Amino acid sequence: MENNKKTALAVVVILSFILMLTGCESLRRKFTRKRKSREPQDQMIIVPRDYSAHPFPSDVMYKQYFIYWKSWNQELITSLNDYSSYKKILDCVEQAIMNLKKMATYLNEDKSKELEAYIKKTEDLKTQVVASKTMPPSRMTMLRYDAERILSSVNRLFDLKKMKEHLK
C-alpha cells in the first residue's frame, strides 16, 4: 500500500513538473486582451440649418413673451413681498425687462414707444434695487407697489387681444 502511495506521489510530481515546463500558454493567450482593430469610420455630414426664419407667427411669439413677462413680474412681486434675497429680486427684474423688450420687437412703432415707457419704469425699478442692496422692509414694500402698478398697467394696455392689430 505504501508502495502505491509512493508511485502515485511520484506520478503527480512528474506530471506537475511536466506542466510547469510546458506552461499554460494557450490558457494565457485565451485570457489576454486582444487589440482593437481600427476600421475606417464614415465621415459625418452635417447640413447647416438656417434658424433666422422664425417658424411662429408674431402673435404667438408676442403672447409667449407676454406670458413670460407676466410670470416674472408676478415672481418679482412675490419676492418683494416675502423679503427674498437680493439676487432673486434682481434676477426677476432683469428677466422682466428682457421679456418686455422682446415684446416691443413684435409691436409696431407707436405701441412699441408706449411700451418703452414701461420698460423704462422697470429699469428704474432695477436701479433702485441695485442701489439698495440691503433693503429695509419698508423699501421693499414701496418697490412692490411700483411693480404691481407696472403689472396692472401693462396687463391692461398690452394684452394680446388689444395688440392683435398692432403686431408687425
Side-chain angles (χ1 to χ4, degrees):
M1 184 97 174
E2 200 170 300
N3 203 9
N4 284 342
K5 285 185 181 180
K6 284 183 182 182
T7 54
L9 182 64
V11 170
V12 170
V13 170
I14 291 171
L15 285 175
S16 63
F17 183 71
I18 292 172
L19 275 173
M20 288 174 115
L21 285 178
T22 59
C24 298
E25 185 66 33
S26 64
L27 189 63
R28 191 179 307 144
R29 219 177 315 128
K30 183 178 181 180
F31 290 108
T32 56
R33 183 175 287 183
K34 289 155 184 72
R35 292 193 174 154
K36 294 180 181 176
S37 62
R38 292 230 170 204
E39 295 177 11
Q41 295 179 346
D42 293 336
Q43 201 54 289
M44 195 188 303
I45 300 172
I46 300 173
V47 179
R49 290 185 182 174
D50 182 24
Y51 290 105
S52 62
H54 213 280
F56 297 109
S58 58
D59 63 331
V60 172
M61 294 305 296
Y62 180 83
K63 181 180 180 182
Q64 180 179 357
Y65 288 121
F66 182 79
I67 292 170
Y68 289 160
W69 166 80
K70 191 174 179 180
S71 65
W72 277 108
N73 208 33
Q74 287 171 342
E75 183 70 27
L76 170 66
I77 292 167
T78 305
S79 297
L80 288 168
N81 196 35
D82 295 342
Y83 307 115
S84 294
S85 70
Y86 166 77
K87 285 185 178 181
K88 173 73 174 172
I89 294 170
L90 190 62
D91 187 41
C92 291
V93 172
E94 288 172 348
Q95 290 292 327
I97 291 170
M98 181 188 71
N99 287 306
L100 277 174
K101 286 180 179 178
K102 287 184 179 178
M103 283 169 51
T105 61
Y106 292 102
L107 294 173
N108 61 20
E109 286 187 38
D110 298 335
K111 288 295 181 178
S112 181
K113 286 180 184 176
E114 284 181 39
L115 188 59
E116 282 295 323
Y118 293 102
I119 294 172
K120 181 153 177 22
K121 286 181 183 180
T122 310
E123 287 173 343
D124 291 343
L125 189 70
K126 179 185 174 185
T127 55
Q128 291 175 10
V129 167
V130 170
S132 55
K133 257 190 172 179
T134 55
M135 290 183 267
S138 61
R139 184 75 187 133
M140 286 183 135
T141 305
M142 296 276 295
L143 293 176
R144 182 174 53 92
Y145 288 144
D146 291 342
E148 285 174 347
R149 277 191 295 249
I150 293 170
L151 175 69
S152 66
S153 298
V154 173
N155 214 4
R156 185 180 68 247
L157 297 173
F158 293 96
D159 189 38
L160 179 64
K161 293 173 186 171
K162 294 180 181 177
M163 291 296 115
K164 280 245 189 215
E165 61 269 4
H166 300 291
L167 295 174
K168 288 182 183 177

